[in-house]
Amino acid sequence: MKAERLEDMKRIMDSCETKGLMISSIMGYGNQKGYTQQYRGNQYQVKFLPKIRVETVVDDENAKIIIKEVLKEISTGDYGDGKIFVYDVEDVIRIRTGERGESAL
């Protein structure tokens, strides 16, 4: 995801009452494969672009709502909009209390 869309993403997550969020600054490339830049007469390829990764764990119902809102609010239709990965989480344990499952979220 592009860094300039981060505030929109946080607003969506807050509106869905997401209990936790991890945001990482990362470098990478996808279909766009970077870009060519010129500096002092020399051309060079910039392959890795700055991106933001947002991670959260929510129940299935909230996941559907978040995906719908992200597709509606974040999508520009251009390269670099990002991807949404959906995984099944087998279990979660809160280390401090030993709670398991949804109550640990």
Side-chain angles (χ1 to χ4, degrees):
M1 181 178 81
K2 295 176 184 174
E4 58 266 20
R5 304 306 295 200
L6 181 58
E7 288 303 316
D8 294 328
M9 178 64 83
K10 289 191 321 191
R11 183 182 43 75
I12 291 168
M13 295 295 191
D14 287 343
S15 72
C16 293
E17 299 178 7
T18 302
K19 302 245 190 315
L21 199 60
M22 281 191 8
I23 300 170
S24 307
S25 295
I26 60 172
M27 300 289 285
Y29 69 89
N31 291 332
Q32 65 213 80
K33 305 281 191 249
Y35 60 92
T36 302
Q37 193 164 24
Q38 192 156 350
Y39 180 72
R40 293 187 177 180
N42 295 320
Q43 274 192 342
Y44 62 96
Q45 184 75 18
V46 177
K47 278 218 170 210
F48 295 105
L49 306 174
K51 297 178 183 282
I52 300 293
R53 179 172 51 207
V54 178
E55 298 175 80
T56 191
V57 178
V58 296
D59 60 36
D60 290 342
E61 199 54 44
N62 270 339
K64 291 175 188 174
I65 295 167
I66 290 168
I67 291 167
K68 180 181 169 188
E69 288 299 311
V70 167
L71 292 175
K72 185 172 90 175
E73 299 288 328
I74 303 290
S75 176
T76 64
D78 295 330
Y79 286 114
D81 278 349
K83 293 179 176 69
I84 299 172
F85 295 94
V86 179
Y87 300 99
D88 286 330
V89 175
E90 187 175 319
D91 198 3
V92 59
I93 300 119
R94 185 186 309 260
I95 296 171
R96 179 176 51 86
T97 63
E99 292 172 279
R100 295 183 86 117
E102 200 170 318
S103 64
L105 294 177

